[in-house]
Amino acid sequence: MRNDCSDKTGRRRQVADRHLSSNQDTMEFPHSRRKLAFMYLFLALVIGLEATASKKILILPSPFVSHLMQMDSLADGLIARGYDVYTILHSSVKVSKAVVKSNVKVIDIDPGIKPLFQTREFEEVLVGPELLDLGFLETFRVLRRGFDIIKMECRNTLLDTNLFKKIEAERFDFVIVDGMVKCLTIFPHKLGLPFAIFMSHLPPDIPHATLQAQFILPGVIDDILSLRKLPRVLATIGRAVFVTALFNAADQYFMDFHNTPIFEIQKESKLWLCDIGMVLDTPKPVSPNAIHVGGLNIRKAKSLPEGALKQFVDSASDGFVLVSFGSFVKYFPDKIVNILLDTFRDVPYKIVWKWDKHMLKADQVLPRNVLAVNWVPQNDVLGHRNIKLFLTHCGNGGQHEALYNGVPMVGLPLFADQMFNCKRVEGRFGRHIRGRNLSKDKLLNMIMDVIRDQKYFENVKKASAIFRDQPMEPREIAAYWVDHVIKYGASHLQSKTNEMSWIQILMWDVLFVVCAVIFIALIMVFLTCRCVYRRCCRRDFSKEKAKQS
């Protein structure tokens, strides 16, 4: 009996053990599947993070603070899309590093090389032709010196082998070049990297590399020459001849660094990010790879920090005028400084002047209604409730900030595209005066006219409302298209004019054929008429002669 019971008990235990082991197997199987699923998910995340981290974009800016702010704004949009953004800067220029945000990685240029753009000599080159009464030959010499300085700056950067090694080691996926310094396009070309060009204005309407990326019909463009009082035909011819000659001369300056002309390299640009908009600029026909990102640097104005500036503008119950000629030019001829001081003294409003008062000479006394400061948070001041007017050099970024905040402008252009930028606001959002024509009476009358004439205020307020009413911010638009080109390429966006000569772009070949056909047809008609005349008229004449005889 005991043996039978023990056998039954043993069999029961074996059955229970088998049942328990089978239950354990069924319980462990889901856990193993979960572990496997988590492992796959982890690997997918790692691969995704590696793919995202590998997307690096290099920004090559010009050394001007206003341009750095625009490029930094573009960097914000790209970082929001998951890209790692790098830029190159002169480590010796503290103001440049202060502008660039901490989330943009900086590659330093050799600190032993002093940036020539930051020298007093280059400032004099920029403001001399406009603010000084120079003759033609002297103006030409000054401009030639400017080209020499740009060439030396390009040489210092492009021949920096350590910089090239740093850039090459990072293995960038895309490059964005500030088109103001044309030689920078040699960087991505030599490294074989796709790139886009950022322009603070629309390129000239000539059959050049910039134009071939976004062809503009000469009959529908407003530019510096055509806005002068010249017949349209003469303006178009003068524009083409002058700007083409200027660009070709500039390209020759950079042949020392690379055998390929700059205009040929520019054809490789995947995108043209143009800092123009639908309010300041007139509509122009452009190809799809020309993206309008006007107001790239704009943002909502913040309240001013506590200090002398805030107290000064808050106490300006009658209003105040902001005077700023940009972050780059710190030098003006004494004649211009004296005119400004005399004018400010008679303006019945407080004035915030971005100027180093220590640069004033002993006989140049700052008026009591003027606060001179070395640095101004320009956008925040333009957004202040008491502001009446913005006296500006008509930099592209400053104009967009004034437009965004609804502030009328008086322009005093200094160099480059600023002359054209002033023309954009003339009669709509303000007025402008050239430095060579500057006088106290003219400037004072202009300031008071713009402040008192309500049409300027109404026009700029309406334009501000239009400018703000956009589906995306300019930085988001720019970042979207850069991301789009990195993903899909740009062949579907680029114009076929990239593959055409300037003769084909302007359809001179077609015009030649048409003229040749018309000429041949006229010759044929002439010969036919001549033949008919000879046969018919001579026969009648011979008959007449025979009758007479």
Side-chain angles (χ1 to χ4, degrees), residues 462-543:
K462 180 180 179 181
S464 176
I466 296 172
F467 190 42
R468 289 169 177 256
D469 191 10
Q470 299 186 59
M472 295 171 68
E473 290 187 3
R475 72 186 68 184
E476 294 173 343
I477 296 172
Y480 167 81
W481 282 108
V482 171
D483 181 63
H484 178 88
V485 167
I486 290 175
K487 288 178 179 177
Y488 306 112
S491 59
H492 58 294
L493 300 174
Q494 291 178 310
S495 169
K496 290 298 180 183
T497 52
N498 266 348
E499 304 165 7
M500 298 165 64
S501 67
W502 64 272
I503 293 176
Q504 293 172 311
I505 293 173
L506 293 181
M507 298 181 68
W508 284 12
D509 52 343
V510 176
L511 182 63
F512 175 78
V513 172
V514 171
C515 291
V517 170
I518 293 173
F519 179 76
I520 292 171
L522 290 174
I523 293 294
M524 296 281 291
V525 170
F526 173 75
L527 293 175
T528 303
C529 292
R530 184 182 178 186
C531 182
V532 171
Y533 172 79
R534 284 183 174 180
R535 290 194 176 186
C536 296
C537 294
R538 281 190 176 184
R539 185 181 303 167
D540 293 340
F541 179 74
S542 59
K543 288 181 179 179

Coordinates of all heavy atoms in Angstrom, one line a residue, residues 462-543:
K462 N 0.0 100.3 -42.3 CA -0.7 99.3 -43.1 C 0.3 98.3 -43.6 O 0.0 97.1 -43.6 CB -1.4 100.0 -44.3 CG -2.1 99.0 -45.3 CD -2.8 99.7 -46.4 CE -3.5 98.7 -47.4 NZ -4.1 99.4 -48.5
A463 N 1.5 98.7 -44.1 CA 2.5 97.8 -44.5 C 3.0 96.9 -43.4 O 3.3 95.7 -43.6 CB 3.7 98.6 -45.1
S464 N 3.0 97.4 -42.2 CA 3.4 96.6 -41.0 C 2.4 95.5 -40.8 O 2.8 94.3 -40.5 CB 3.5 97.5 -39.8 OG 3.8 96.7 -38.7
A465 N 1.1 95.8 -40.9 CA 0.1 94.8 -40.7 C 0.2 93.7 -41.8 O 0.1 92.5 -41.5 CB -1.3 95.4 -40.8
I466 N 0.5 94.1 -43.1 CA 0.7 93.1 -44.1 C 1.9 92.3 -43.9 O 1.9 91.0 -44.1 CB 0.8 93.8 -45.5 CG1 -0.5 94.6 -45.8 CG2 1.1 92.8 -46.6 CD1 -0.4 95.5 -47.1
F467 N 3.0 92.9 -43.5 CA 4.2 92.2 -43.2 C 4.1 91.2 -42.1 O 4.7 90.1 -42.2 CB 5.3 93.3 -42.9 CG 6.7 92.7 -42.9 CD1 7.1 91.9 -43.8 CD2 7.6 93.1 -41.9 CE1 8.4 91.4 -43.8 CE2 8.9 92.7 -41.8 CZ 9.3 91.8 -42.8
R468 N 3.4 91.5 -41.1 CA 3.2 90.6 -39.9 C 2.3 89.4 -40.3 O 2.4 88.4 -39.6 CB 2.6 91.4 -38.7 CG 3.6 92.3 -38.1 CD 2.9 93.2 -37.1 NE 3.8 94.1 -36.4 CZ 4.2 93.9 -35.1 NH1 3.8 92.9 -34.4 NH2 5.0 94.8 -34.6
D469 N 1.4 89.6 -41.2 CA 0.4 88.6 -41.6 C 0.9 87.6 -42.5 O 0.6 87.6 -43.7 CB -0.9 89.3 -42.1 CG -2.1 88.3 -42.2 OD1 -2.0 87.2 -41.7 OD2 -3.1 88.7 -42.8
Q470 N 1.8 86.7 -42.1 CA 2.4 85.7 -42.9 C 2.2 84.3 -42.2 O 2.2 84.2 -41.0 CB 3.9 85.9 -43.0 CG 4.3 87.2 -43.7 CD 5.8 87.3 -44.0 OE1 6.4 86.5 -44.7 NE2 6.4 88.4 -43.4
P471 N 2.1 83.3 -43.0 CA 1.8 81.9 -42.4 C 3.0 81.4 -41.7 O 2.9 80.6 -40.8 CB 1.5 81.1 -43.7 CG 2.2 81.8 -44.8 CD 2.1 83.2 -44.5
M472 N 4.2 81.8 -42.1 CA 5.4 81.4 -41.4 C 6.4 82.5 -41.2 O 6.4 83.5 -42.0 CB 6.1 80.3 -42.2 CG 5.4 79.0 -42.4 SD 6.2 77.8 -43.5 CE 7.7 77.4 -42.7
E473 N 7.2 82.5 -40.2 CA 8.2 83.5 -40.0 C 9.3 83.3 -41.1 O 9.6 82.2 -41.5 CB 8.8 83.4 -38.6 CG 7.9 83.9 -37.5 CD 8.6 84.0 -36.2 OE1 9.8 83.7 -36.1 OE2 7.9 84.2 -35.2
P474 N 10.0 84.4 -41.5 CA 11.0 84.3 -42.5 C 12.1 83.2 -42.2 O 12.5 82.5 -43.1 CB 11.6 85.7 -42.6 CG 10.5 86.6 -42.2 CD 9.8 85.8 -41.1
R475 N 12.5 83.1 -41.0 CA 13.5 82.1 -40.6 C 13.0 80.7 -40.8 O 13.8 79.8 -41.2 CB 14.0 82.3 -39.1 CG 13.0 81.9 -38.1 CD 13.4 82.3 -36.7 NE 13.5 83.7 -36.5 CZ 13.9 84.3 -35.4 NH1 14.4 83.6 -34.4 NH2 13.8 85.6 -35.3
E476 N 11.7 80.5 -40.5 CA 11.1 79.2 -40.7 C 11.0 78.8 -42.2 O 11.2 77.7 -42.6 CB 9.8 79.1 -40.1 CG 9.8 79.3 -38.6 CD 8.4 79.4 -38.0 OE1 7.4 79.7 -38.7 OE2 8.2 79.2 -36.8
I477 N 10.7 79.9 -43.0 CA 10.7 79.6 -44.5 C 12.0 79.3 -45.0 O 12.2 78.3 -45.8 CB 10.1 80.9 -45.2 CG1 8.7 81.2 -44.8 CG2 10.2 80.8 -46.7 CD1 8.2 82.6 -45.3
A478 N 13.1 80.0 -44.6 CA 14.4 79.7 -45.1 C 14.8 78.3 -44.6 O 15.4 77.5 -45.4 CB 15.4 80.8 -44.5
A479 N 14.6 78.0 -43.4 CA 15.0 76.7 -42.8 C 14.2 75.5 -43.6 O 14.8 74.5 -43.8 CB 14.7 76.6 -41.3
Y480 N 13.0 75.8 -43.9 CA 12.2 74.8 -44.6 C 12.8 74.4 -45.9 O 12.9 73.3 -46.3 CB 10.7 75.2 -44.8 CG 10.0 74.4 -45.7 CD1 9.4 73.2 -45.4 CD2 9.8 74.8 -47.1 CE1 8.7 72.4 -46.3 CE2 9.2 74.0 -48.0 CZ 8.6 72.8 -47.6 OH 7.9 72.0 -48.5
W481 N 13.2 75.5 -46.7 CA 13.7 75.2 -48.0 C 15.1 74.6 -48.0 O 15.4 73.8 -48.9 CB 13.6 76.5 -48.9 CG 12.2 76.8 -49.3 CD1 11.4 77.7 -48.9 CD2 11.5 76.1 -50.4 NE1 10.2 77.7 -49.6 CE2 10.2 76.6 -50.5 CE3 11.8 75.0 -51.2 CZ2 9.3 76.2 -51.4 CZ3 10.9 74.5 -52.1 CH2 9.6 75.1 -52.1
V482 N 15.9 75.0 -47.1 CA 17.2 74.4 -46.9 C 17.0 72.9 -46.6 O 17.7 72.0 -47.2 CB 18.0 75.1 -45.8 CG1 19.3 74.3 -45.5 CG2 18.4 76.5 -46.3
D483 N 16.1 72.6 -45.7 CA 15.8 71.2 -45.4 C 15.3 70.4 -46.6 O 15.7 69.3 -46.8 CB 14.8 71.2 -44.2 CG 14.5 69.8 -43.8 OD1 15.4 69.1 -43.3 OD2 13.3 69.4 -43.9
H484 N 14.4 71.1 -47.3 CA 13.9 70.5 -48.5 C 15.0 70.1 -49.6 O 15.0 69.0 -50.1 CB 12.9 71.5 -49.2 CG 12.2 71.0 -50.4 ND1 11.1 70.2 -50.5 CD2 12.6 71.1 -51.7 CE1 10.8 69.9 -51.7 NE2 11.7 70.5 -52.5
V485 N 15.9 71.0 -49.8 CA 17.0 70.8 -50.7 C 17.9 69.7 -50.3 O 18.4 68.9 -51.0 CB 17.7 72.1 -51.0 CG1 19.0 71.8 -51.8 CG2 16.9 73.0 -51.8
I486 N 18.2 69.7 -49.0 CA 19.1 68.6 -48.4 C 18.4 67.2 -48.6 O 19.1 66.3 -48.9 CB 19.4 68.9 -46.9 CG1 20.3 70.1 -46.8 CG2 20.0 67.7 -46.3 CD1 20.5 70.5 -45.3
K487 N 17.1 67.2 -48.5 CA 16.4 65.9 -48.6 C 16.3 65.5 -50.1 O 16.5 64.3 -50.4 CB 15.0 66.0 -48.0 CG 15.0 66.1 -46.5 CD 13.5 66.2 -46.0 CE 13.5 66.2 -44.5 NZ 12.1 66.5 -44.0
Y488 N 15.9 66.4 -51.0 CA 15.4 66.0 -52.3 C 16.3 66.6 -53.4 O 16.1 66.3 -54.6 CB 14.0 66.5 -52.5 CG 13.0 66.0 -51.5 CD1 12.4 66.9 -50.6 CD2 12.7 64.7 -51.4 CE1 11.6 66.5 -49.6 CE2 11.8 64.2 -50.4 CZ 11.2 65.2 -49.5 OH 10.4 64.7 -48.6
G489 N 17.3 67.4 -53.1 CA 18.1 68.1 -54.1 C 17.3 69.3 -54.7 O 16.3 69.6 -54.2
A490 N 17.9 69.9 -55.7 CA 17.3 71.2 -56.2 C 17.1 71.2 -57.7 O 16.8 72.2 -58.2 CB 18.2 72.4 -55.8
S491 N 17.3 70.1 -58.3 CA 17.1 70.0 -59.8 C 15.7 70.5 -60.2 O 15.6 71.0 -61.3 CB 17.5 68.6 -60.3 OG 16.6 67.7 -59.8
H492 N 14.7 70.2 -59.4 CA 13.4 70.6 -59.8 C 13.0 72.0 -59.5 O 11.9 72.5 -59.8 CB 12.4 69.7 -59.0 CG 12.5 69.7 -57.5 ND1 13.6 69.3 -56.8 CD2 11.7 70.2 -56.5 CE1 13.5 69.5 -55.6 NE2 12.3 70.1 -55.3
L493 N 14.0 72.7 -58.9 CA 13.8 74.2 -58.6 C 14.6 75.1 -59.4 O 14.3 76.3 -59.6 CB 14.1 74.4 -57.1 CG 13.4 73.6 -56.0 CD1 14.0 73.9 -54.6 CD2 11.9 74.0 -56.0
Q494 N 15.7 74.6 -60.0 CA 16.6 75.5 -60.7 C 16.2 75.8 -62.1 O 15.6 74.9 -62.8 CB 18.0 74.9 -60.7 CG 18.6 74.8 -59.3 CD 20.0 74.2 -59.3 OE1 20.1 73.1 -59.8 NE2 21.0 74.8 -58.7
S495 N 16.5 77.0 -62.5 CA 16.2 77.4 -63.9 C 17.1 76.8 -64.9 O 18.3 76.6 -64.6 CB 16.3 79.0 -63.9 OG 16.2 79.4 -65.3
K496 N 16.7 76.6 -66.1 CA 17.5 76.1 -67.2 C 18.5 77.1 -67.7 O 19.4 76.8 -68.4 CB 16.6 75.6 -68.3 CG 15.8 74.4 -68.0 CD 16.7 73.2 -67.8 CE 15.9 71.9 -67.5 NZ 16.8 70.8 -67.1
T497 N 18.3 78.4 -67.2 CA 19.2 79.4 -67.6 C 20.6 79.2 -67.1 O 21.6 79.8 -67.5 CB 18.8 80.8 -67.2 OG1 18.5 80.8 -65.7 CG2 17.5 81.2 -67.9
N498 N 20.8 78.3 -66.1 CA 22.1 77.9 -65.6 C 22.9 77.3 -66.7 O 24.2 77.3 -66.6 CB 22.0 76.9 -64.4 CG 22.0 77.6 -63.1 OD1 22.3 78.8 -63.0 ND2 21.6 76.8 -62.1
E499 N 22.3 76.7 -67.7 CA 23.0 76.0 -68.7 C 23.1 76.8 -70.0 O 23.5 76.3 -71.0 CB 22.3 74.7 -69.1 CG 22.1 73.7 -67.8 CD 21.1 72.6 -68.1 OE1 20.6 72.5 -69.2 OE2 20.8 71.9 -67.1
M500 N 22.7 78.1 -69.9 CA 22.6 78.9 -71.1 C 23.6 80.1 -71.0 O 24.0 80.5 -69.9 CB 21.2 79.5 -71.2 CG 20.1 78.4 -71.4 SD 18.4 79.1 -71.2 CE 18.3 80.3 -72.5
S501 N 24.0 80.6 -72.1 CA 24.9 81.7 -72.2 C 24.0 83.0 -72.1 O 22.8 82.9 -72.2 CB 25.7 81.8 -73.5 OG 24.8 82.0 -74.6
W502 N 24.6 84.1 -71.8 CA 23.9 85.4 -71.7 C 23.2 85.8 -73.0 O 22.2 86.4 -73.0 CB 24.8 86.5 -71.2 CG 25.9 86.9 -72.1 CD1 27.1 86.4 -72.1 CD2 25.9 87.9 -73.1 NE1 27.9 87.0 -73.1 CE2 27.1 87.9 -73.7 CE3 24.9 88.8 -73.6 CZ2 27.4 88.8 -74.8 CZ3 25.2 89.7 -74.6 CH2 26.5 89.6 -75.2
I503 N 23.8 85.3 -74.1 CA 23.2 85.6 -75.4 C 21.8 84.8 -75.5 O 20.8 85.4 -76.0 CB 24.1 85.2 -76.6 CG1 25.3 86.1 -76.6 CG2 23.4 85.2 -77.9 CD1 26.4 85.7 -77.6
Q504 N 21.8 83.6 -75.1 CA 20.6 82.8 -75.1 C 19.6 83.3 -74.1 O 18.4 83.3 -74.4 CB 20.9 81.3 -74.8 CG 21.7 80.7 -75.9 CD 22.2 79.3 -75.5 OE1 22.7 79.1 -74.4 NE2 22.0 78.3 -76.4
I505 N 20.1 83.8 -72.9 CA 19.1 84.2 -71.9 C 18.4 85.5 -72.4 O 17.1 85.6 -72.2 CB 19.9 84.6 -70.6 CG1 20.5 83.3 -70.0 CG2 19.0 85.3 -69.6 CD1 21.4 83.6 -68.8
L506 N 19.1 86.4 -73.0 CA 18.4 87.6 -73.5 C 17.8 87.4 -74.9 O 17.3 88.3 -75.5 CB 19.5 88.7 -73.6 CG 20.0 89.2 -72.3 CD1 21.0 90.4 -72.5 CD2 18.9 89.7 -71.4
M507 N 17.9 86.1 -75.4 CA 17.3 85.7 -76.6 C 17.8 86.5 -77.8 O 17.1 86.7 -78.8 CB 15.7 85.8 -76.6 CG 15.1 84.9 -75.5 SD 13.3 85.1 -75.4 CE 12.9 84.4 -77.0
W508 N 19.1 86.9 -77.7 CA 19.7 87.6 -78.8 C 19.9 86.6 -80.0 O 19.9 87.1 -81.2 CB 21.1 88.1 -78.4 CG 20.9 89.4 -77.5 CD1 19.8 89.9 -77.0 CD2 22.0 90.3 -77.2 NE1 20.0 91.0 -76.3 CE2 21.4 91.3 -76.4 CE3 23.3 90.4 -77.5 CZ2 22.1 92.4 -75.9 CZ3 24.0 91.4 -76.9 CH2 23.4 92.4 -76.2
D509 N 20.1 85.3 -79.8 CA 20.2 84.4 -80.9 C 18.9 84.3 -81.7 O 18.9 84.3 -82.9 CB 20.6 83.0 -80.4 CG 19.7 82.5 -79.3 OD1 18.9 83.3 -78.7 OD2 19.7 81.3 -79.0
V510 N 17.8 84.3 -80.9 CA 16.5 84.3 -81.6 C 16.3 85.6 -82.4 O 15.8 85.6 -83.5 CB 15.3 84.1 -80.6 CG1 14.0 84.2 -81.3 CG2 15.5 82.7 -79.9
L511 N 16.6 86.7 -81.7 CA 16.5 88.0 -82.3 C 17.3 88.1 -83.6 O 16.9 88.7 -84.6 CB 16.9 89.1 -81.3 CG 16.8 90.6 -81.8 CD1 15.3 90.9 -82.1 CD2 17.3 91.5 -80.7
F512 N 18.5 87.5 -83.5 CA 19.4 87.5 -84.7 C 18.8 86.8 -85.9 O 18.8 87.3 -87.0 CB 20.8 86.9 -84.4 CG 21.7 86.8 -85.5 CD1 22.4 87.9 -86.0 CD2 21.8 85.5 -86.1 CE1 23.2 87.7 -87.1 CE2 22.7 85.4 -87.2 CZ 23.4 86.5 -87.7
V513 N 18.2 85.6 -85.6 CA 17.6 84.8 -86.6 C 16.4 85.6 -87.2 O 16.2 85.6 -88.4 CB 17.1 83.4 -86.1 CG1 16.3 82.7 -87.1 CG2 18.4 82.6 -85.7
V514 N 15.5 86.2 -86.3 CA 14.4 86.9 -86.8 C 14.8 88.1 -87.6 O 14.2 88.3 -88.7 CB 13.5 87.4 -85.6 CG1 12.4 88.4 -86.0 CG2 12.9 86.2 -84.8
C515 N 15.8 88.8 -87.2 CA 16.3 90.0 -88.0 C 16.9 89.5 -89.3 O 16.7 90.2 -90.3 CB 17.4 90.7 -87.2 SG 16.7 91.6 -85.7
A516 N 17.6 88.3 -89.3 CA 18.2 87.8 -90.5 C 17.1 87.4 -91.5 O 17.2 87.7 -92.7 CB 19.1 86.6 -90.2
V517 N 16.0 86.8 -91.0 CA 14.9 86.4 -91.9 C 14.2 87.6 -92.5 O 13.9 87.7 -93.7 CB 13.9 85.5 -91.1 CG1 12.6 85.3 -91.9 CG2 14.5 84.2 -90.7
I518 N 14.0 88.6 -91.6 CA 13.4 89.8 -92.1 C 14.3 90.5 -93.1 O 13.8 91.0 -94.2 CB 13.1 90.8 -90.9 CG1 12.0 90.2 -90.0 CG2 12.6 92.2 -91.4 CD1 11.8 91.0 -88.7
F519 N 15.6 90.6 -92.8 CA 16.5 91.2 -93.7 C 16.5 90.5 -95.1 O 16.4 91.1 -96.1 CB 17.9 91.2 -93.1 CG 18.9 91.8 -94.0 CD1 19.0 93.2 -94.2 CD2 19.8 91.0 -94.7 CE1 20.0 93.8 -95.0 CE2 20.8 91.5 -95.5 CZ 20.9 92.9 -95.7
I520 N 16.6 89.1 -95.0 CA 16.6 88.3 -96.3 C 15.2 88.6 -97.0 O 15.2 88.7 -98.3 CB 16.8 86.9 -96.0 CG1 18.2 86.7 -95.4 CG2 16.6 86.0 -97.2 CD1 18.4 85.3 -94.9
A521 N 14.1 88.6 -96.3 CA 12.8 88.8 -96.9 C 12.8 90.2 -97.6 O 12.3 90.3 -98.8 CB 11.7 88.7 -95.9
L522 N 13.3 91.2 -96.9 CA 13.3 92.5 -97.5 C 14.2 92.6 -98.8 O 13.8 93.2 -99.8 CB 13.8 93.5 -96.5 CG 12.9 93.8 -95.3 CD1 13.6 94.8 -94.3 CD2 11.6 94.5 -95.8
I523 N 15.3 91.9 -98.7 CA 16.2 91.8 -99.9 C 15.5 91.1 -101.1 O 15.6 91.6 -102.2 CB 17.5 91.0 -99.6 CG1 18.4 91.8 -98.6 CG2 18.3 90.7 -100.8 CD1 18.9 93.1 -99.1
M524 N 14.8 90.0 -100.7 CA 14.0 89.3 -101.8 C 13.0 90.2 -102.4 O 12.8 90.2 -103.6 CB 13.4 88.0 -101.2 CG 14.4 87.0 -100.7 SD 15.1 86.0 -102.0 CE 13.7 85.0 -102.5
V525 N 12.2 90.9 -101.5 CA 11.2 91.8 -102.0 C 11.8 92.9 -102.9 O 11.3 93.2 -104.0 CB 10.4 92.4 -100.9 CG1 9.5 93.5 -101.4 CG2 9.6 91.4 -100.1
F526 N 12.9 93.4 -102.4 CA 13.6 94.5 -103.2 C 14.1 94.0 -104.6 O 13.9 94.6 -105.6 CB 14.8 95.0 -102.4 CG 15.7 95.9 -103.2 CD1 15.3 97.3 -103.4 CD2 16.9 95.5 -103.7 CE1 16.1 98.1 -104.1 CE2 17.7 96.4 -104.4 CZ 17.3 97.7 -104.6
L527 N 14.7 92.8 -104.6 CA 15.2 92.2 -105.8 C 14.0 91.9 -106.8 O 14.1 92.1 -108.0 CB 16.0 91.0 -105.6 CG 17.4 91.2 -104.8 CD1 18.0 89.9 -104.5 CD2 18.3 92.1 -105.7
T528 N 12.9 91.4 -106.2 CA 11.8 91.1 -107.0 C 11.2 92.3 -107.6 O 10.9 92.4 -108.8 CB 10.7 90.4 -106.2 OG1 11.3 89.2 -105.6 CG2 9.5 90.0 -107.0
C529 N 11.0 93.4 -106.8 CA 10.5 94.6 -107.3 C 11.4 95.2 -108.4 O 11.0 95.8 -109.4 CB 10.3 95.6 -106.2 SG 9.0 95.1 -105.0
R530 N 12.7 95.1 -108.1 CA 13.7 95.6 -109.1 C 13.6 94.9 -110.4 O 13.6 95.5 -111.5 CB 15.1 95.5 -108.5 CG 16.2 96.1 -109.4 CD 17.5 95.9 -108.7 NE 18.6 96.4 -109.5 CZ 19.8 96.3 -109.3 NH1 20.2 95.6 -108.2 NH2 20.8 96.8 -110.1
C531 N 13.4 93.6 -110.3 CA 13.3 92.8 -111.5 C 12.1 93.1 -112.3 O 12.1 93.3 -113.5 CB 13.4 91.3 -111.2 SG 13.3 90.2 -112.6
V532 N 10.9 93.2 -111.6 CA 9.7 93.6 -112.2 C 9.7 94.9 -112.8 O 9.3 95.2 -114.0 CB 8.5 93.5 -111.2 CG1 7.2 94.0 -111.8 CG2 8.3 92.0 -110.7
Y533 N 10.3 95.9 -112.1 CA 10.5 97.2 -112.6 C 11.3 97.2 -113.9 O 10.9 97.9 -114.9 CB 11.1 98.1 -111.6 CG 11.5 99.5 -112.1 CD1 10.5 100.5 -112.2 CD2 12.8 99.8 -112.4 CE1 10.8 101.7 -112.6 CE2 13.1 101.0 -112.9 CZ 12.1 102.0 -113.0 OH 12.4 103.3 -113.5
R534 N 12.4 96.5 -113.9 CA 13.2 96.5 -115.1 C 12.5 95.9 -116.3 O 12.6 96.5 -117.4 CB 14.5 95.8 -114.8 CG 15.5 96.6 -114.0 CD 16.8 95.8 -113.8 NE 17.8 96.6 -113.1 CZ 19.0 96.2 -112.8 NH1 19.4 94.9 -113.2 NH2 19.9 96.9 -112.2
R535 N 11.8 94.9 -116.1 CA 11.2 94.2 -117.2 C 10.0 95.0 -117.7 O 9.9 95.2 -119.0 CB 10.7 92.8 -116.8 CG 11.9 91.8 -116.6 CD 11.5 90.4 -116.5 NE 12.6 89.5 -116.4 CZ 12.5 88.2 -116.4 NH1 11.3 87.6 -116.6 NH2 13.5 87.4 -116.3
C536 N 9.2 95.4 -116.8 CA 7.9 96.0 -117.3 C 8.2 97.5 -117.7 O 7.8 97.9 -118.8 CB 6.9 96.0 -116.1 SG 6.4 94.4 -115.6
C537 N 8.9 98.2 -116.9 CA 9.1 99.6 -117.2 C 10.0 99.8 -118.4 O 9.7 100.7 -119.2 CB 9.6 100.4 -116.0 SG 8.5 100.4 -114.6
R538 N 11.0 99.0 -118.5 CA 11.9 99.1 -119.7 C 11.2 98.7 -121.0 O 11.4 99.3 -122.0 CB 13.1 98.2 -119.5 CG 14.2 98.8 -118.6 CD 15.4 98.1 -118.6 NE 16.5 98.7 -117.8 CZ 17.7 98.3 -117.7 NH1 18.1 97.2 -118.4 NH2 18.6 98.9 -116.9
R539 N 10.3 97.7 -120.9 CA 9.6 97.3 -122.1 C 8.6 98.5 -122.6 O 8.6 98.8 -123.8 CB 8.7 96.1 -121.8 CG 8.0 95.5 -123.0 CD 7.2 94.3 -122.6 NE 8.1 93.3 -122.0 CZ 7.6 92.2 -121.4 NH1 6.3 92.1 -121.2 NH2 8.4 91.3 -120.9
D540 N 7.9 99.1 -121.6 CA 7.1 100.2 -121.9 C 7.9 101.4 -122.5 O 7.4 102.0 -123.4 CB 6.3 100.6 -120.7 CG 5.3 99.5 -120.3 OD1 5.0 98.7 -121.1 OD2 4.9 99.6 -119.1
F541 N 9.0 101.6 -121.9 CA 9.9 102.7 -122.3 C 10.4 102.5 -123.7 O 10.4 103.4 -124.5 CB 11.1 102.8 -121.3 CG 12.0 103.9 -121.7 CD1 11.6 105.3 -121.5 CD2 13.2 103.7 -122.3 CE1 12.5 106.3 -121.9 CE2 14.1 104.7 -122.7 CZ 13.7 106.0 -122.5
S542 N 10.8 101.2 -124.0 CA 11.3 100.9 -125.4 C 10.1 101.1 -126.4 O 10.4 101.5 -127.6 CB 11.9 99.5 -125.4 OG 10.9 98.6 -125.1
K543 N 8.9 100.6 -126.1 CA 7.8 100.8 -127.0 C 7.5 102.3 -127.2 O 7.2 102.7 -128.3 CB 6.5 100.1 -126.4 CG 6.6 98.6 -126.4 CD 5.3 98.0 -125.9 CE 5.3 96.5 -125.9 NZ 4.1 95.9 -125.3

